[in-house]
Amino acid sequence: MQLTPLPAFNDNYLWLWHNSTHAVVVDPGDAKVVLQALEHLQLHLDAILVTHHHADHTGGVDLLREATQALVYGPAGENIPGPHVALRGGDTFDWQGHRIEVIDVPGHTAGHIAYFSPALGADNAPVLFCGDTLFSGGCGRLFEGTAAQMLNSLDRLAALPGATRVCCAHEYTLSNLRFALAVEPDNAELKAYHDRCQQWRANGQPTLPSTLLQELAINPFLRSRQASVVQAVEQRVPCGGDEVAVFAQLREWKNKF
Ligand code: ZN
Ligand code: FE
């Protein structure tokens, strides 16, 4: 199986997950980019997976469905271009022998879902398509949900296997890491990762997919209970050690950074 990020708009990635003949695409905000890739790689599109209702994730769904007859999957709790298979946390389905599990991750939007597929055989890592919930070095803005919901959603993702390939929907990594370094200036792993990402971007390469293990070491939003992060937040706004308050203030800090 291969993971190919298709760049779209300013900083979106539409993820193509495929073998040599069949593909699924995640959050196709733009149909043309996907159709070109399918043509170029000679792939049949079986399914379209949607994580949440924002236009940069759904704008190409209708056209793609029409052009390919692909089956559309999406969150039961949100309005996305129908008809689609409406999914909730805990639902599973199969694609090309892979099991795909649905995880509820409210916060960025109220009905946001993520797709996880466990490892299959020795040469396939687990894969996570997390939309705008988890980014490398950061997390999504709280447009419809609360800090408590987002913290809970990130906890669910953090419990997945460390080797999981984290496929985020935006290339926000470098600006996220600048913030992460302000929060944890002494995190050596973070500094090293920032250097590597700068190199990749300078070479025109994506910083994604990341891995969950990598994110657990560098992403302040997955590290909001670490003493270093708690201390940095409490120094700005006293939270009395409350973990949701710390997370909320961390998100606020990033919003204004
Ligand atoms: Zn979004
Ligand atoms: Fe987005």
Side-chain angles (χ1 to χ4, degrees):
M1 296 299 292
Q2 263 182 277
L3 283 166
T4 304
L6 308 176
F9 311 119
N10 278 339
D11 50 34
N12 282 73
Y13 289 129
L14 321 183
W15 287 95
L16 206 59
W17 191 36
H18 59 99
N19 56 26
S20 58
T21 50
H22 289 260
V24 300
V25 69
V26 185
D27 288 350
D30 182 9
K32 212 171 74 190
V33 173
V34 181
L35 289 170
Q36 278 169 355
L38 294 171
E39 167 83 32
H40 180 69
L41 298 168
Q42 288 293 294
L43 297 170
H44 180 266
L45 187 69
D46 295 326
I48 298 168
L49 314 186
V50 175
T51 64
H52 69 293
H53 68 84
H54 288 158
D56 61 315
H57 300 251
T58 58
V61 168
D62 280 335
L63 223 154
L64 259 189
R65 177 192 359 237
E66 223 173 272
T68 64
Q69 313 301 317
L71 190 57
V72 180
Y73 295 88
E78 300 201 346
N79 269 329
I80 68 153
H84 69 279
V85 181
L87 299 170
R88 293 176 195 285
D91 287 346
T92 65
F93 55 99
D94 286 303
W95 171 70
Q96 295 282 318
H98 293 262
R99 188 170 87 249
I100 300 175
E101 305 171 1
V102 179
I103 306 171
D104 276 326
V105 286
H108 176 68
T109 61
H112 201 305
I113 59 173
Y115 299 89
F116 172 73
S117 186
L120 190 90
D123 48 345
N124 278 297
V127 181
L128 172 69
F129 301 107
C130 47
D132 287 354
T133 297
L134 174 62
F135 296 122
S136 185
C139 77
R141 283 175 185 268
L142 302 176
F143 286 127
E144 298 172 12
T146 64
Q149 282 177 319
M150 182 57 107
L151 179 58
N152 207 268
S153 296
L154 292 178
D155 283 343
R156 261 173 227 157
L157 301 185
L160 297 173
T164 301
R165 302 292 186 265
V166 179
C167 302
C168 319
H170 290 271
E171 179 64 67
Y172 290 158
T173 310
L174 286 184
S175 69
N176 284 339
L177 293 182
R178 277 192 292 276
F179 173 71
L181 282 164
V183 179
E184 286 192 289
D186 300 326
N187 182 334
E189 176 70 30
L190 172 57
K191 283 188 257 189
Y193 181 59
H194 183 232
D195 287 347
R196 286 202 297 282
C197 289
Q198 275 186 318
Q199 200 70 57
W200 288 331
R201 293 309 289 149
N203 295 336
Q205 290 170 267
T207 60
L208 301 165
S210 182
T211 68
L212 198 58
L213 209 61
Q214 180 70 78
E215 294 307 310
L216 290 169
I218 61 94
N219 189 324
F221 294 94
L222 294 182
R223 298 169 57 76
S224 67
R225 297 179 188 92
Q226 295 283 322
S228 50
V229 176
V230 174
Q231 221 170 56
V233 172
E234 293 270 3
Q235 248 167 34
R236 295 170 50 88
V237 185
C239 298
D242 181 77
E243 63 179 33
V244 174
V246 168
F247 184 85
Q249 288 303 331
L250 184 65
R251 186 57 256 184
E252 275 296 305
W253 183 5
K254 173 67 166 66
N255 291 347
K256 293 180 190 130
F257 189 74

